[in-house]
């Protein structure tokens, strides 16, 4: 069925099998293979993309449900040759090894920083009514939906602190 | 996935009519559980009625001093709401204990209540499961899962309900508002919304065919402290092996039964002056562990007592 | 054949004039990875649009496929091909070219005989992934199931000595143990674990005439190429295997799986590219795993802590048809002094998926036993755990008497203790609280062997001065691209930006691949040799070229630096020389082989782990609070990527100690955890403040560059440090890993 959305700032329109997930639409139909399939069941976070500015698992979202949405993937972050600050921080801090979870980690970081800026609490927030301070513990809890089997977590934390202006 | 058709009606009445009329039609909200299960062919709808954009995503104050959470509010939205955080901290903690930031951004209030068990034998479709195929048998019985029910299990099913949010909502005495195709509206106590497995573990809630949850209503916050604590096998992004919600004098337990488990015996004991530990002992007297999940007795006794102590529920009675 | 003595001579690497060796430069392929533009195997662009293959798994553990009805699936929308044991094309026998046997993979794909739950019995190819998946559910199978041996613990009595192995005995262990004044005799159990690489196995394949090209996610290029050639019954020269980026391997992608076989067969059958990926569930059931190990440790000590008697006996399991031994006792042969010693292994054969190598095979399991036993013995003796280890520090290899090439274990422990604040540890458990948390400290030693394997590399310089290093090596996230660029640039005295590295192609000079933490040393040494040969070629070119300022100079006196070739103050840029004197460029190869006398030394990497944990007395949950490691692993090539490797390994230790296990259902032979919600690898919140440092070291017995591996050392012993910290926190000594809330709670008073 016909579905249109904005993808990395460009209008995109395609005729979709309703069974196609957003992840498979990106990877197999739209040639955007940066979003990764690690588990296909919302259990790893490698497929994280931003929809209307919020991070979601693209593997658990049917593409046809995204009519009119603004979707940002890892491919939409860098401006020509200039990396997005989160990408640059991941590179500088060696916040990845095999690189397979990395696009999801980066998109998740961008979504997470926005959530924190919007004042959303996390399980690590001690006082639910106070302003959010992005401590290391907060970042770790908020990023726990992105597994990294290479276990680059200390480096990911360092990258997020750098990119978030917290370092 | 088995082939299906999809549509996105603009209003609740149309959505209800579609699901009532089309055999095998299902509501699709956030999809974080339904799509997951469709990929495994555990769910095989013929038609998906996308209700995620229906105007049911508001959080409103009720005249009684409570809150009405629209069915399509996301878990993130509810947990971030200043009123929820200030007045229903157990609910915010429970939601934030569950899943991941990404999943909470999609998962809805209604969908969370309707999520299905995480029993590994339910997920492995090569095994018999009375939820998937009524009458097939239960592979979890005699199996090796240790995250099974200690309360209210049956010979047909020993699975647990995986929600964190629903445990807090049970302690908070929330109500579920529904509508069905004929325009009939109902209000159900969350406490009675989920069923014990009995002989029909595939029937998980009191929701009727083609009936839709439209909202969850929180009564005014009860006097006294609130808490939600969850034990699990890793620090985050893992289902509970046991959880406790306390709100005022009400206590609910998670990951111990086919439904969020209201700990009435513990509440009664507290009313009668029992200590937190005594109250939990009173509750756990009815527990029936199966050899693989015996640890849940000690876990719930200690975690429950700790939560009751923190909230002061067992003091000064 | 070379001698280790040759390796001690100064080299461009040991001189490090460009300063590139050791420098923490960004990953060579990092920009591609952070922009999502590094194509993994399933993402490679094929010459024409690929069809999609999906696999169907057996629901029984042992038996035979008696019926496979494809009638419905064959006519489902978009379906191009349906294969079952009854119509899959013939496949050749594997094995002749593949050693070790554990790399041969299952054979053949879609066999009629079922040897484990989850073995693939069907394969569907369709025009879209959605159609392929839908059709896969329409294939009907019947089976004749047979009784199977599924449970390790139920079959311990059936354990046999692995073929070709004997127990290692030194002195008279039994007599010494019986006579020792202080004794410990405990059994520790490490669980079955899954690799859980983030990228599932995947292959994209296409044919051009009689030649097949496969892009696949595999750690060993040559092994995969030969396996596929044997399976397809064609010469290896007709198979091009490419593996540019690998989304995690950890030993689990050392071999060819059914995605590779079936993608290649189907692409041939259909005359169209085909791609196949495992599902996450198939990754659990249809690849290898680390087997569970029962380890009996017996220690007999004098009152002063000196060990008289030491034994570690390990019983583990493998798949009936795929012999593999998790050598959990081997590490202990070189760790602590004791005149009377016994180490050995026993193996139980089961009808479950194949056991195989997983990050630090042997050490990762084995050190969980001995390093806890030492903690227990230290308490019995009233000694600090570090002091006990110091008193048993050997001067030479305790089993063979060979000299150590290097051994800085003592410094790792003492330096770590000081930096970590080990003196804050309360010797009596259960004494420290922080809020509701019981807090404790623990430590453990780390040892992991070091190996060098034969490898080749090719390097060319083009007329524009670009230097390209090519090798049939892989980078599984280890940093291979980066360190090879650094070695090549340093060897030839050029800026890093002038070097290109191309890996993971069977057309390139062969290297053994990634595994056993031998990758950097092996691939790097070959790259270094190739670079040295290119230096020689360039020196001869310049000194023999009348137009070069170096004309007539002695080639032996030529130096390289700053992109120039020089003798004294006569110099010219490399690009100018090559453009003029060898406009088609120069290509040379180099190779490395182990030194003839390498085995005269006991050669290992070492470390010490320090951990602080909190135990929640309400739930038995354990949370890491702090972890620090000190390691000695030869010359470090890249401070950044080596640190990532070592901290990643330590985090694997955290997962091993606290979360990770799988179990086999005794009725079905299936794993209880078949996805990442059920199998708990560490999440970000599990990892608190965790860091490490390397001691300065050059091991000139290791290879010409004095480097060793770091990929597996970090996990060795790490889990034991956590378990010891849990004991120190709460007094719960749990000898069955992982330390789940269930077990900790049971052990708490």
């Amino acid at each position: 069925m016909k579905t249109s959305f904005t993808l990395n700032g460009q209008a995109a329109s395609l005729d979709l099998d309703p069974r196609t997930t957003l992840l498979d639409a990106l990877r197999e139909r739209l040639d955007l293979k940066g979003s990764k399939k690690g588990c296909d069941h919302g259990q790893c976070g490698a497929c994280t993309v931003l929809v209307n500015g919020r991070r979601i698992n693209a593997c658990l979202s049917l593409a046809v449900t995204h009519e009119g949405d603004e979707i940002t993937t890892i491919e939409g972050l860098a401006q020509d040759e200039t990396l997005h600050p989160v990408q640059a921080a991941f590179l500088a801090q060696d916040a990845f090894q095999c690189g397979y979870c990395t696009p999801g980690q980066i998109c998740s970081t961008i979504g997470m920083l926005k959530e924190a800026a919007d004042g959303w609490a996390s399980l690590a927030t001690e006082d639910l009514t106070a302003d959010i301070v992005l401590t290391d513990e907060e970042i770790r809890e908020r990023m726990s939906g992105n597994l990294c089997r290479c276990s680059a977590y200390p480096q990911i934390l360092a990258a997020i602190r750098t990119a978030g202006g917290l370092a | 996935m088995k082939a299906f058709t999809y549509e996105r009606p603009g209003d609740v009445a149309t959505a209800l009519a579609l699901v009532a009329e089309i055999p095998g039609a299902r509501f699709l909200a956030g999809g974080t559980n339904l799509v997951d299960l469709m990929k495994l062919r555990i769910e095989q709808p013929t038609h998906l009625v996308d209700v995620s954009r229906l105007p049911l995503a508001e959080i409103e104050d009720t005249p009684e001093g409570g809150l009405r959470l629209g069915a399509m509010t996301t878990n993130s939205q509810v947990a971030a709401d200043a009123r929820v955080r200030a007045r229903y901290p157990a609910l915010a903690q429970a939601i934030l204990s569950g899943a991941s930031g990404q999943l909470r951004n999609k998962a809805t209030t209604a969908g969370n209540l309707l999520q299905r068990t995480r029993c590994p034998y339910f997920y492995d479709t090569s095994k018999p499961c009375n939820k998937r195929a009524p009458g097939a048998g239960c592979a979890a019985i005699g199996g090796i899962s240790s995250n099974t029910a200690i309360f209210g299990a049956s010979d047909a099913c020993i699975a647990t309900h995986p929600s964190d949010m629903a445990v807090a909502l049970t302690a908070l005495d929330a109500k579920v508002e529904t509508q069905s195709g004929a325009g009939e509206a109902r209000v159900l106590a969350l406490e009675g919304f989920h069923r014990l497995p009995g002989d029909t573990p595939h029937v998980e809630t009191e929701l009727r065919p083609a009936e839709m949850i439209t909202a969850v209503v929180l009564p005014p916050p009860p006097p006294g402290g609130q808490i939600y604590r969850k034990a699990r096998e890793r620090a985050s992004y893992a289902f509970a092996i046991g959880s406790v919600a306390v709100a005022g004098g009400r206590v609910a337990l998670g990951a111990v039964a086919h439904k969020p488990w209201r700990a009435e015996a513990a509440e009664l004991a507290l009313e009668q002056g029992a200590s937190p530990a005594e109250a939990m002992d009173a509750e756990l007297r009815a527990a029936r562990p199966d050899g693989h999940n015996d640890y849940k007795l000690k876990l719930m006794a200690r975690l429950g007592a700790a939560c009751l102590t923190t909230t002061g529920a067992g003091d000064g009675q | 054949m070379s001698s280790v003595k040759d390796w001690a001579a100064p080299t461009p690497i040991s001189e490090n004039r460009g300063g590139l060796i050791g420098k923490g430069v960004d990953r060579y392929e990092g920009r591609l990875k952070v922009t999502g533009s590094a194509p993994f195997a399933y993402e490679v662009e094929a010459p024409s649009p690929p069809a999609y293959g999906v696999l169907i798994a057996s629901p029984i553990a042992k038996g035979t496929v008696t019926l496979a009805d494809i009638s419905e699936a064959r006519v489902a929308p978009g379906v191009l091909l349906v294969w079952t044991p009854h119509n899959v094309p013939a496949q050749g026998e594997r094995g002749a070219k593949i050693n070790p046997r554990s790399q041969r993979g299952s054979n053949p794909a879609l066999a009629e005989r079922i040897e484990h739950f989850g073995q693939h019995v069907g394969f569907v190819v369709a025009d879209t992934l959605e159609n392929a998946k839908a059709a896969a559910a329409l294939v009907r199978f019947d089976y004749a199931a047979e009784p199977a041996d599924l449970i390790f613990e139920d079959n311990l009595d059936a354990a046999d000595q692995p073929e070709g192995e004997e127990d290692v005995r030194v002195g008279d262990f039994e007599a010494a143990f019986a006579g020792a004044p202080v004794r410990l005799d405990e059994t520790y159990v490490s669980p079955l674990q899954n690799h859980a690489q983030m990228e599932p196995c995947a292959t994209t394949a296409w044919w051009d005439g009689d030649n097949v090209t496969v892009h696949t996610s595999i750690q060993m290029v040559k092994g995969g190429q030969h396996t596929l050639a044997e399976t397809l019954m064609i010469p290896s020269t007709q198979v091009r295997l490419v593996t540019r980026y690998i989304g995690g391997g950890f030993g689990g992608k050392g071999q060819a799986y059914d995605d590779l076989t079936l993608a290649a067969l189907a692409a041939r059958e259909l005359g169209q590219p085909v791609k196949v990926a495992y599902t996450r569930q198939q990754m659990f059931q249809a690849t290898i795993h680390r087997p569970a190990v029962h380890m009996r440790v017996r220690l007999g000590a004098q009152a002063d802590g000196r060990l008289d008697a030491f034994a570690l006996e390990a019983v583990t399991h493998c798949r009936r048809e795929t012999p593999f031994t998790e050598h959990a006792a081997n590490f202990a042969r070189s760790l602590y002094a004791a005149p009377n010693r016994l180490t050995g292994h026993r193996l139980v054969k089961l009808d479950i998926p194949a056991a195989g190598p997983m990050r630090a095979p042997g050490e990762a399991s084995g050190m969980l036993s001995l390093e806890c036993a030492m903690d227990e013995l230290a308490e019995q003796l009233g000694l600090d755990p570090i002091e006990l280890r110091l008193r048993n520090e050997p001067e030479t290899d305790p089993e063979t008497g060979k000299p150590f090439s290097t051994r800085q274990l003592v410094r790792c422990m003492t330096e770590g203790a000081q930096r970590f604040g080990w003196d804050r540890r309360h010797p009596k458990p259960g004494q420290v609280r922080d809020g509701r948390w019981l807090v404790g400290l623990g430590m453990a030693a780390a040892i992991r062997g070091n190996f060098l394997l034969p490898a080749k590399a090719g390097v060319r310089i083009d007329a524009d001065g670009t230097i390209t290093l090519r090798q049939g090596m892989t980078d599984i996230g280890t940093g291979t691209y980066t360190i090879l660029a650094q070695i090549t640039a340093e060897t030839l005295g050029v800026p890093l930006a002038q070097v290109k590295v191309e890996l993971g192609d069977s057309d390139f000079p062969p290297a053994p691949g990634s595994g056993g933490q031998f990758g950097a040393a092996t691939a790097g040494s070959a790259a270094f040799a190739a670079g040295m040969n290119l230096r020689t070629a360039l020196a001869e070119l310049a000194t023999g070229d009348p137009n070069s300022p170096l004309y007539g100079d002695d080639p032996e006196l030529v130096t390289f630096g700053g992109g120039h070739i020089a003798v004294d103050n006569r110099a010219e840029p490399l690009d100018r020389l090559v453009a003029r004197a060898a406009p088609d460029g120069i290509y040379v190869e180099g190779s490395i082989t182990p030194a003839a006398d390498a085995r005269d030394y006991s050669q290992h990497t070492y470390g010490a782990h320090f951990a602080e944990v909190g135990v929640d007395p309400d739930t038995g949950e354990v949370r890491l609070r702090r972890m620090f490691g000190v390691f000695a692993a030869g010359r470090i090539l890249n401070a950044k990527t080596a640190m990532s490797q070592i901290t990643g390994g330590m985090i694997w230790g955290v997962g091993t100690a606290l979360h990770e296990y799988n179990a086999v259902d005794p009725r079905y032979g299936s794993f209880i955890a078949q996805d990442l919600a059920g199998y708990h690898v560490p999440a970000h919140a599990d990892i608190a403040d965790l860091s490490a440092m390397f001691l300065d070291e050059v091991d000139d017995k290791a290879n010409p560059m004095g480097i060793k591996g770091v990929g597996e050392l970090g996990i060795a012993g790490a889990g034991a440090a956590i378990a010891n910290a849990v004991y120190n926190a709460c007094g719960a000594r749990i000898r069955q890993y992982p330390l789940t809330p269930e077990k900790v709670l049971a052990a708490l008073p």
Side-chain angles (χ1 to χ4, degrees):
Chain A
M1 72 185 277
K2 270 268 191 235
T3 304
S4 302
F5 41 71
T6 305
L7 181 55
N8 295 329
Q10 307 277 316
S13 185
L14 67 172
D15 195 17
L16 285 165
D17 184 328
R19 294 173 295 183
T20 305
T21 61
L22 177 58
L23 179 61
D24 285 330
L26 293 168
R27 286 170 61 83
E28 308 302 334
R29 298 291 307 281
L30 294 158
D31 202 30
L32 294 181
K33 293 164 177 168
S35 306
K36 302 303 184 198
K37 185 182 286 188
C39 72
D40 213 20
H41 289 276
Q43 301 165 354
C44 78
C47 66
T48 303
V49 299
L50 297 164
V51 173
N52 303 326
R54 298 298 183 196
R55 53 181 174 160
I56 69 160
N57 300 109
C59 74
L60 288 184
S61 198
L62 297 173
V64 290
T65 65
H66 288 285
E67 178 69 30
D69 282 343
E70 279 193 30
I71 299 164
T72 304
T73 70
I74 189 74
E75 292 89 349
L77 298 179
Q79 300 293 319
D80 300 322
E81 288 302 295
T82 308
L83 296 177
H84 185 283
V86 175
Q87 291 174 310
F90 268 64
L91 181 56
Q93 298 293 336
D94 207 38
F96 56 93
Q97 292 174 38
C98 79
Y100 199 76
C101 75
T102 312
Q105 298 275 3
I106 289 170
C107 287
S108 187
T109 298
I110 293 168
M112 182 277 287
L113 291 171
K114 173 84 163 62
E115 290 167 10
D118 289 346
W120 292 14
S122 85
L123 192 63
T125 308
E126 293 206 5
D127 180 351
L128 286 172
T129 58
D131 289 343
I132 300 301
V133 180
L134 265 190
T135 60
D136 289 355
E137 201 187 345
E138 281 275 8
I139 294 171
R140 290 180 186 123
E141 165 58 28
R142 289 165 186 264
M143 289 300 292
S144 284
N146 292 85
L147 301 179
C148 173
R149 185 53 158 166
C150 298
S151 302
Y153 298 126
Q155 293 79 9
I156 291 169
L157 178 78
I160 294 172
R161 292 188 61 82
T162 308
L166 306 159
Chain B
M1 282 184 230
K2 201 169 176 180
F4 59 87
T5 47
Y6 167 89
E7 71 184 290
R8 189 170 48 241
D11 58 80
V12 172
T14 312
L16 288 168
L18 284 168
V19 171
E21 285 159 17
I22 302 172
R26 292 286 303 271
F27 298 116
L28 173 70
T32 52
N33 191 222
L34 183 57
V35 175
D36 170 34
L37 295 171
M38 285 166 64
K39 289 181 179 196
L40 298 167
R41 299 179 78 90
I42 294 168
E43 299 276 9
Q44 302 194 26
T46 60
H47 188 72
L48 284 183
V49 177
D50 185 347
V51 294
S52 64
R53 299 191 189 198
L54 294 180
L56 298 170
E58 297 297 318
I59 302 175
E60 301 163 318
D61 291 298
T62 65
E64 295 77 27
L67 283 179
R68 173 178 282 103
L69 314 174
M72 292 301 111
T73 49
T74 64
N75 290 175
S76 291
Q77 181 189 351
V78 174
D81 188 89
R83 294 162 291 181
V84 172
R85 283 154 69 174
R87 288 152 59 194
Y88 305 97
L91 177 58
Q93 287 166 343
I95 293 173
L96 295 169
S97 299
S100 67
Q102 291 94 312
L103 290 163
R104 295 193 294 266
N105 282 345
K106 279 292 279 185
T108 62
T109 297
N112 187 304
L113 296 181
L114 296 177
Q115 67 180 302
R116 306 197 66 189
T117 184
R118 290 283 164 170
C119 174
Y121 296 96
F122 172 71
Y123 265 78
D124 179 348
T125 54
S126 73
K127 308 292 190 288
C129 172
N130 289 320
K131 280 184 177 294
R132 277 189 274 107
C138 171
I141 296 173
I144 56 172
S145 174
S146 61
N147 200 2
T148 47
I150 56 171
F151 291 113
S154 73
D155 292 343
C157 181
I158 58 172
T160 59
H161 196 265
S163 172
D164 294 297
M165 185 188 85
V167 180
L169 288 176
T170 299
L172 288 163
D173 197 16
K175 304 283 188 287
V176 179
E177 294 184 348
T178 72
Q179 275 186 43
S180 49
E184 187 194 347
R186 295 202 293 161
V187 180
L188 300 149
L190 183 66
E191 190 188 337
F193 182 76
H194 296 94
R195 295 161 54 107
L196 288 175
D199 295 333
T200 54
H202 60 291
V203 183
E204 292 168 354
T205 70
E206 296 295 336
L207 217 54
R208 296 167 185 159
E211 187 175 16
M212 183 201 287
I213 297 173
T214 52
V216 169
V217 179
L218 293 162
Q226 292 181 29
I227 193 169
Y228 182 79
R229 268 185 70 189
K230 171 182 184 178
R232 44 182 153 180
E233 289 194 348
R234 71 179 168 198
S236 188
Y237 203 17
F239 291 95
I241 55 172
S243 71
V244 177
V246 180
R250 285 174 65 104
V251 184
L253 312 180
V256 293
H258 198 255
K259 56 183 284 185
W261 187 258
R262 182 161 171 219
E264 284 178 289
E267 292 174 14
L268 185 65
L270 289 170
E271 271 176 35
Q272 293 168 349
S275 71
E278 289 163 350
M280 289 311 298
D281 285 348
E283 186 64 38
L284 290 162
R285 246 169 253 143
R288 298 287 176 270
D290 69 357
H292 289 288
N293 61 16
D294 296 5
Y295 71 97
K296 290 200 182 201
L297 295 182
K298 194 169 180 181
L299 173 65
M300 299 313 294
R302 290 194 173 200
L303 185 59
C307 288
L308 290 170
T309 303
T310 304
T311 56
D315 295 346
Q317 294 283 335
Chain C
M1 221 177 207
S2 55
S3 158
V4 295
K5 292 192 185 64
D6 307 331
W7 292 349
T11 69
I13 299 300
S14 57
E15 290 173 355
N16 199 19
R17 292 186 180 185
L20 287 173
I21 299 304
K23 191 173 179 184
V25 302
D26 292 348
R27 268 174 211 265
Y28 176 84
E29 80 291 10
R31 197 181 169 90
L32 295 177
K33 286 181 175 173
V34 299
T35 54
S37 45
F40 290 83
Y42 201 71
E43 301 158 0
V44 167
E45 193 168 344
S48 60
Y52 294 81
V54 303
L55 294 150
I56 306 168
S58 161
I60 67 164
K62 190 174 185 179
T64 308
V65 178
T66 55
L67 174 97
D69 176 2
I70 63 170
S71 55
E72 209 183 331
R74 192 63 194 81
V75 296
V79 169
L80 301 170
L81 171 159
V82 184
W83 281 342
T84 70
H86 300 154
N87 68 341
V88 68
Q91 298 159 58
E93 188 72 23
R94 295 174 193 174
K97 291 182 179 173
I98 311 301
N99 270 311
R101 194 182 156 85
S102 64
Q103 279 183 34
R104 291 174 195 170
S106 58
N107 181 42
L110 310 186
E112 194 169 52
R113 280 295 300 165
I114 306 299
E115 294 169 353
H116 64 85
F117 177 96
Q119 180 180 318
H120 298 132
V121 293
F123 179 63
V124 176
V125 183
D127 58 346
T128 68
L129 187 56
E130 292 78 15
N131 280 336
K133 292 200 161 193
L138 303 176
V139 186
R140 308 277 167 226
F141 294 94
D142 281 339
Y143 302 89
E146 297 167 19
D149 293 324
L150 300 172
I151 303 302
F152 176 43
E153 288 77 9
D154 294 348
N155 289 279
L156 290 174
D157 291 346
D160 285 326
Q161 190 133 31
E163 205 176 319
E165 287 189 24
E166 286 180 19
D167 293 344
V168 173
R169 288 179 172 276
V170 176
D172 184 344
F173 167 76
E174 281 79 5
F177 183 69
V182 182
R183 284 197 296 265
L184 175 141
D185 181 354
E186 295 289 356
T187 296
Y188 304 81
V189 183
S190 65
L192 189 156
Q193 295 181 320
N194 299 96
H195 299 74
Q197 311 94 332
M198 298 307 296
E199 180 208 22
C201 293
T203 300
T204 302
W206 63 83
W207 289 75
D208 180 7
D210 293 334
N211 297 309
V212 65
T213 299
V214 289
H215 286 256
T216 191
S217 189
I218 194 167
Q219 295 171 235
M220 314 294 187
V221 175
K222 277 288 164 193
Q225 181 198 23
H226 292 323
T227 301
L228 184 59
E230 288 180 333
T231 303
L232 299 172
M233 296 180 278
I234 60 176
S236 290
T237 49
Q238 288 171 219
V239 174
R240 183 178 174 213
L241 183 143
V242 188
T243 179
R244 298 265 192 259
Y245 304 103
I246 298 166
F250 315 116
K253 291 178 181 168
Q255 58 177 276
Y257 293 110
D258 291 345
D259 58 309
L260 178 61
T261 301
L262 292 170
L265 284 171
R268 183 170 68 186
E269 178 88 6
L270 295 171
Q272 174 186 5
V274 171
K275 59 181 187 176
V276 183
Y278 275 30
T279 64
R280 178 53 57 185
Q281 290 79 3
Q282 288 164 349
M283 289 302 291
F284 280 88
Q285 291 289 171
T287 70
I288 59 171
H289 56 262
R290 191 200 302 283
V293 192
H294 281 233
M295 293 166 279
R296 184 182 184 195
V297 179
R298 282 177 287 172
L299 302 174
Q302 293 294 325
D304 65 0
R306 280 183 300 116
L307 290 172
D308 279 336
F310 156 74
L312 171 52
E313 295 161 286
V315 187
T316 181
H317 61 83
C318 69
R319 181 176 143 202
R320 192 175 306 283
E321 294 78 9
T322 313
F324 168 84
T325 306
E326 176 85 8
H327 284 112
N330 279 5
F331 78 95
R333 293 171 177 165
S334 302
L335 192 51
Y336 299 122
N340 301 287
R341 313 172 68 84
L342 167 62
T343 47
H345 302 90
R346 296 293 183 275
L347 198 50
V348 174
K349 293 183 176 172
L350 298 173
D351 300 305
I352 66 171
M358 177 164 152
R359 198 171 195 172
E363 286 83 353
S365 307
M367 297 199 80
L368 296 170
S369 67
L370 179 58
E371 286 307 288
C372 275
M374 290 294 278
D375 203 66
E376 296 194 55
L377 182 66
E379 191 182 34
Q380 273 190 53
L381 291 161
L383 286 177
D384 183 275
I386 295 177
E387 181 58 31
L388 175 64
R389 289 169 172 87
L390 295 179
R391 290 187 188 183
N392 289 286
E393 173 68 11
E395 300 211 339
T396 59
D397 187 282
E399 180 184 299
T400 63
K402 290 176 182 176
F404 293 113
S405 62
T406 61
R407 179 165 165 122
Q408 297 202 73
L409 175 58
V410 168
R411 234 195 107 202
C412 288
M413 291 191 290
T414 52
E415 184 86 29
Q418 197 224 329
R419 288 173 185 258
F420 183 75
W422 181 247
D423 57 354
R424 293 206 296 271
R425 172 179 175 268
H426 200 295
K428 195 174 161 205
Q431 302 302 305
V432 181
R433 268 195 181 257
D434 179 6
R436 73 168 187 258
W437 297 91
L438 294 159
V439 179
L441 307 187
M443 65 81 59
I447 180 172
R448 171 69 178 145
N450 190 63
F451 312 96
L452 185 69
L453 297 176
K456 292 182 178 173
V459 63
R460 66 173 292 121
I461 183 165
D462 285 307
D464 64 356
T466 302
I467 293 168
T468 305
L469 187 283
R470 284 184 159 180
Q471 194 175 39
M473 178 58 190
T474 53
D475 186 332
I476 59 174
T478 38
T480 314
Y481 277 107
T482 315
I483 58 114
L484 292 179
Q486 289 172 276
I487 289 168
T488 303
E490 187 62 48
T491 304
L492 289 153
V494 299
L496 207 51
Q498 211 170 319
V499 175
K500 283 188 186 167
V501 180
E502 296 178 0
L503 299 180
D505 193 323
S506 59
D507 285 353
F508 296 165
S514 303
Q517 86 170 14
F518 53 66
T522 297
S525 296
F528 169 64
M532 291 302 285
N533 289 343
L534 183 57
R535 283 170 66 111
T536 303
L538 288 166
E540 285 171 357
L541 183 71
T543 55
D545 174 13
N547 294 318
S548 170
L550 278 61
Y551 180 64
D553 277 321
D554 179 357
E556 295 286 321
L557 300 178
V558 168
T559 60
F560 293 76
H564 286 67
I565 183 168
V567 173
D568 299 332
N569 59 357
R570 296 181 299 286
E572 73 170 322
L574 286 176
D575 57 347
R576 193 190 302 163
L577 167 66
V578 175
R580 182 185 66 243
D584 293 335
I586 304 172
Y587 173 79
V588 298
E589 293 190 352
S591 63
I592 185 74
T593 52
D597 49 356
R599 288 179 181 275
D600 294 348
Y601 298 86
S602 178
Q603 189 173 104
H604 308 272
T605 55
Y606 295 93
H609 299 275
F610 296 84
E612 177 181 320
V613 304
V615 176
D616 186 333
D618 301 333
T619 62
E621 290 168 291
V622 179
R623 297 284 180 260
L624 184 70
R625 294 161 63 97
R626 211 155 58 88
M627 192 164 180
F628 181 64
V630 181
F631 301 93
R635 187 194 304 277
I636 297 303
L637 292 169
N638 182 314
K640 198 145 68 174
T641 59
M643 184 59 70
S644 291
Q645 282 273 286
I646 209 86
T647 55
M650 291 166 70
I651 292 169
W652 273 56
V654 177
T656 293
L658 300 181
H659 313 131
E660 292 184 36
Y661 67 98
N662 219 328
V664 177
D665 187 288
R667 303 157 302 170
Y668 304 101
S670 51
F671 290 135
I672 190 72
Q674 297 181 28
D675 60 30
L676 293 172
Y679 187 86
H680 291 146
V681 306
H684 203 140
D686 289 298
I687 305 309
D689 178 13
L690 183 147
S691 60
M693 65 172 285
F694 290 104
L695 298 181
D696 284 339
E697 183 172 291
V698 175
D699 189 338
D700 60 16
K701 310 295 189 297
N703 49 61
M705 298 186 294
I707 62 174
K708 294 196 280 202
V710 295
E712 300 187 339
L713 177 61
I715 182 173
I722 305 267
N724 293 336
V726 169
Y727 176 75
N728 185 244
C730 68
R733 177 64 73 183
I734 297 158
R735 301 184 186 89
Q736 186 158 1
Y737 293 87
L739 281 60
T740 56
E742 176 179 350
K743 292 178 204 157
V744 176
L745 202 55
L748 284 173

